[in-house]
Amino acid sequence: MPGLLVTFEGGEGSGKSTQLARLAARCAELGIEPLVTREPGGTPLAEGIRGLLLDPARRPGPVAEAFLMEAARAELVTDVIRPALAGGRVVMCDRFDDSTLAYQGGGRGLDLEQLADWNRAATGGLTPDLTLLYDLDPAVGLARRAQAPGPLNRLDREPPEFHARVRERYVALARAAPGRFVVLDAALPPERLELLGWAALEAQLRRRGLIPSA
Ligand code: TMP
């Protein structure tokens, strides 16, 4: 498929969404208008599912939670991501299927093979070309999140052990797919983090001929 799918992953408070915005701005400076979206979300239905998933008043079980994530994903992939890639766009997605493996797999303890099957059903086998993992000690991330404006969402409120398992799973996923993942130290200052993320993204853009070779 033409186009380029870049996903941004990490724990709570890792700064990935800020970094995504910075890298999207750098693309725009080069005349590339990326399609920026997020998971769960990115379509009216999926944003509705996001509201249900993040609402602290709700208590879905692990399987229901996973299915809601997959339902939102299926809609986003079909309606937004695949058409954009088919049109040659660069798609930057704030979280994608690795989040399910990290949160519902690592965090909740659901079977990884089972989750990978559900992911494949939702994505139709679409895999990111590049995944930037913003790796951070969850204690630091959660402290940042607690200081940010707005209430904590349902998943932010999970205990520290949950977030530690999420991080461990992310690191294991990155080790298992070193050609796709670039792991970044999210404790670095934002400017430095931006440079490192851009180096990885720029290399992909060049490889795809989306910007001229240096
Ligand atoms: P965020 O995108 O603002 O970080 O919030 C989304 C939350 O949803 C975050 O806590 C991670 C969680 N999540 C999952 O548990 N599984 C998933 O598959 C996705 C996409 C997100």
Side-chain angles (χ1 to χ4, degrees):
M1 191 177 271
L4 188 76
L5 175 58
V6 185
T7 58
F8 292 70
E9 298 281 358
E12 316 302 330
S14 63
K16 64 179 169 46
S17 308
T18 306
Q19 290 295 320
L20 187 159
R22 287 179 176 231
L23 297 186
R26 279 183 177 253
C27 283
E29 280 166 21
L30 296 177
I32 298 170
E33 284 300 337
L35 186 137
V36 172
T37 190
R38 69 173 179 181
E39 275 212 39
T43 73
L45 176 70
E47 288 291 332
I49 294 173
R50 180 187 179 89
L52 296 174
L53 276 164
L54 299 186
D55 179 355
R58 298 188 189 267
R59 302 255 179 285
V63 173
E65 181 181 84
F67 274 27
L68 286 167
M69 296 291 177
E70 300 294 4
R73 177 165 303 131
E75 159 120 338
L76 181 70
V77 167
T78 304
D79 289 10
V80 177
I81 297 182
R82 280 192 184 275
L85 292 174
R89 303 276 304 270
V90 173
V91 176
M92 302 174 87
C93 195
D94 191 339
R95 298 194 180 279
F96 197 56
D97 56 349
D98 294 304
S99 279
T100 299
L101 301 177
Y103 281 79
Q104 281 65 53
R108 300 279 185 233
L110 293 184
D111 180 71
L112 273 190
E113 285 307 313
Q114 178 75 88
L115 289 170
D117 278 348
W118 294 344
N119 275 346
R120 268 190 294 276
T123 63
L126 180 66
T127 307
D129 298 292
L130 171 67
T131 298
L132 299 176
L133 172 58
Y134 292 87
D135 179 54
L136 186 65
D137 178 346
V140 176
L142 289 167
R144 283 185 188 169
R145 181 51 62 91
Q147 279 169 6
L152 294 181
N153 72 40
R154 190 175 59 80
L155 285 131
D156 294 333
R157 294 172 190 220
E158 289 296 332
E161 313 82 76
F162 175 94
H163 294 287
R165 291 196 299 274
V166 169
R167 183 192 195 188
E168 271 171 35
R169 177 69 61 195
Y170 266 135
V171 171
L173 291 169
R175 284 217 185 96
R180 171 165 69 89
F181 273 91
V182 172
V183 183
L184 301 166
D185 176 1
L188 290 171
E191 293 70 26
R192 177 94 188 104
L193 205 48
E194 180 183 341
L195 288 180
L196 294 171
W198 178 244
L201 177 55
E202 193 183 26
Q204 276 286 340
L205 294 170
R206 284 194 202 292
R207 207 165 296 145
R208 293 300 179 97
L210 292 164
I211 51 176
S213 296

